[in-house]
């Protein structure tokens, strides 16, 4: 299932989630501003990426048969695709998932259910190249002096 909402000259966002309701909500939120392509599995996302390079990927973690982390590892191994910014959009909020995403080079981490304005603002920040401090673990005190 690949659906597209093509608008010439707009940045292209690939949304990957196995829940049709989430993909519909993402499309409804973004289609006014971006070209939105939706796929319902990591496998389909990788097939799409063989042909097209989007400007940003929204990626769920819990999917089968290939979860979001495995999909992201494969994206990072693809020639000319490793630099695509990825925002994890997931219901998983455990620290290990956040840290694994950061290790794999995500640009941000958004919890579901998401607020449409928050999603739009975070996408804009990533696409504009602003720093994404919200995806970085907080350092506690001290600094480099030991």
């Amino acid at each position: 299932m690949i659906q597209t909402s093509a608008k010439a000259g707009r940045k292209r966002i690939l949304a990957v989630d196995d829940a049709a309701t989430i993909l519909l909500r993402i499309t409804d939120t973004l289609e006014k501003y971006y070209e939105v392509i939706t796929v319902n599995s990591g496998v389909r996302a990788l097939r799409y990426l063989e042909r097209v390079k989007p400007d940003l990927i929204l990626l769920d973690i819990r999917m089968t048969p290939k979860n979001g982390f495995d999909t992201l590892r494969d994206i990072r191994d693809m020639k000319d695709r490793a630099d695509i910014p990825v925002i994890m959009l997931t219901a998983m909020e455990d620290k290990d998932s956040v840290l694994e995403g950061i290790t794999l080079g995500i640009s941000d981490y958004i919890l579901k259910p998401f607020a449409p304005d928050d999603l739009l603002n975070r996408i804009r920040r990533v696409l504009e190249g602003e720093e994404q401090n919200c995806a970085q673990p907080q350092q506690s005190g001290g600094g480099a002096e030991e």
Side-chain angles (χ1 to χ4, degrees), residues 22 25-27 29 89 110-119:
I22 296 295
R25 189 159 183 238
I26 289 169
T27 300
T29 301
L89 183 60
I110 302 173
L111 291 176
K112 293 189 242 179
F114 63 88
D117 287 344
D118 185 42
L119 180 63

Side-chain angles (χ1 to χ4, degrees), residues 13-15 22-31 33-34 36 56-59 87-90 108-127 132:
I13 296 176
L14 173 63
I22 296 295
L23 292 175
L24 181 59
R25 189 159 183 238
I26 289 169
T27 300
D28 288 346
T29 301
L30 302 180
E31 69 184 346
Y33 309 99
Y34 302 102
V36 181
L56 183 136
I57 299 170
L58 296 173
L59 183 61
I87 296 176
M88 297 302 257
L89 183 60
T90 183
D108 207 341
Y109 193 97
I110 302 173
L111 291 176
K112 293 189 242 179
F114 63 88
D117 287 344
D118 185 42
L119 180 63
L120 278 167
N121 288 334
R122 290 180 188 227
I123 288 171
R124 285 183 185 128
R125 275 189 265 155
V126 170
L127 290 175
Q132 293 299 301

Side-chain angles (χ1 to χ4, degrees), residues 16 42 59-75 86 88 92 100 104 106:
V16 186
L59 183 61
D60 185 25
I61 294 175
R62 284 190 207 163
M63 297 182 292
T64 58
K66 183 181 281 285
N67 71 37
F69 292 129
D70 291 339
T71 301
L72 183 53
R73 282 185 198 92
D74 289 347
I75 292 168
V86 174
M88 297 302 257
M92 294 180 66
E100 185 167 358
L104 292 169
I106 62 169

Side-chain angles (χ1 to χ4, degrees), residues 4-5 28 38 44-45 55 58-60 63 82-83 87 91 93-94 103 107 118 121 128 130 137 139 143-144:
T4 180
S5 170
D28 288 346
T38 60
R44 287 189 170 113
D55 297 292
L58 296 173
L59 183 61
D60 185 25
M63 297 182 292
D83 62 338
I87 296 176
E93 59 180 308
D94 63 281
T103 300
S107 298
D118 185 42
N121 288 334
E128 291 170 4
E130 293 182 13
Q139 301 278 335

